Structures are given as C-alpha cells and as structure tokens.
Amino acid sequence: MMAAAFLVLLAIYLACGLLFAIPFMLVGVNRIDSHAAQGSWGFRLLILPGALAFWPLLLRRWWSGLHEPPEEGNAHRRGANAERSTSGTNHAL
C-alpha cells in the first residue's frame, strides 16, 4: 500500500516535470543561461532527464528572472578571493 502511494506520487512528480521540461528546453534554458542558448538539439535532449528531476528548482530560477548561473561558493574560492583582496597591500618584513 505504501509502495503504491509512493509510485503514484513519483509518477505525478515526473508528469509535472515532463510538462515543465518541454517549454523549458525550448525557451527557458535560453533565459537562465546565455551559454546554453547556443546549445544544439542534442544538448537539449541531454538536459531532459535533469529538467525532469530538478523541475521545481529550475522553475523557481526561471520565474525569478536569474539570467546567469550562480557563482560557486566553496572554501577554495572564498580563500582565493580573500588572498586577492589582501595581495594589494604592502607587507613590511
């Protein structure tokens, strides 16, 4: 009984994802990533499974009007940015 309910919910989620993925591949991907705008039809078919799985996140990003992917914020990038900001100062030995 519980497995059947899970499968029904999964089917509904994937059906919503499919309804979202078709217009997203045609129009939405061009709006949220300028590099993807030059993508071929092969590229668009490759992103179909991801659009099906992550459709709520992509929909939120498309509706919010973000035009470029966010910059990654890991420890290495933060350290490099901190080093870059302090490298302009003159350190006396």
Side-chain angles (χ1 to χ4, degrees):
M1 182 71 150
M2 190 174 207
F6 174 76
L7 290 175
V8 168
L9 290 175
L10 181 64
I12 292 170
Y13 181 84
L14 291 177
C16 291
L18 185 62
L19 290 174
F20 166 78
I22 302 300
F24 178 75
M25 287 188 328
L26 296 174
V27 179
V29 75
N30 299 340
R31 293 194 180 162
I32 68 169
D33 190 353
S34 61
H35 298 292
Q38 289 87 30
S40 66
W41 285 105
F43 165 75
R44 292 172 194 274
L45 286 176
L46 283 174
I47 65 169
L48 178 65
L52 284 170
F54 297 112
W55 68 268
L57 301 172
L58 294 169
L59 179 64
R60 183 179 65 184
R61 191 145 169 241
W62 189 5
W63 275 358
S64 68
L66 294 176
H67 296 290
E68 291 300 320
E71 186 174 322
E72 183 180 3
N74 59 22
H76 176 73
R77 188 174 301 266
R78 285 190 299 270
N81 288 339
E83 183 179 317
R84 200 175 310 138
S85 66
T86 60
S87 66
T89 60
N90 192 1
H91 297 288
L93 294 177

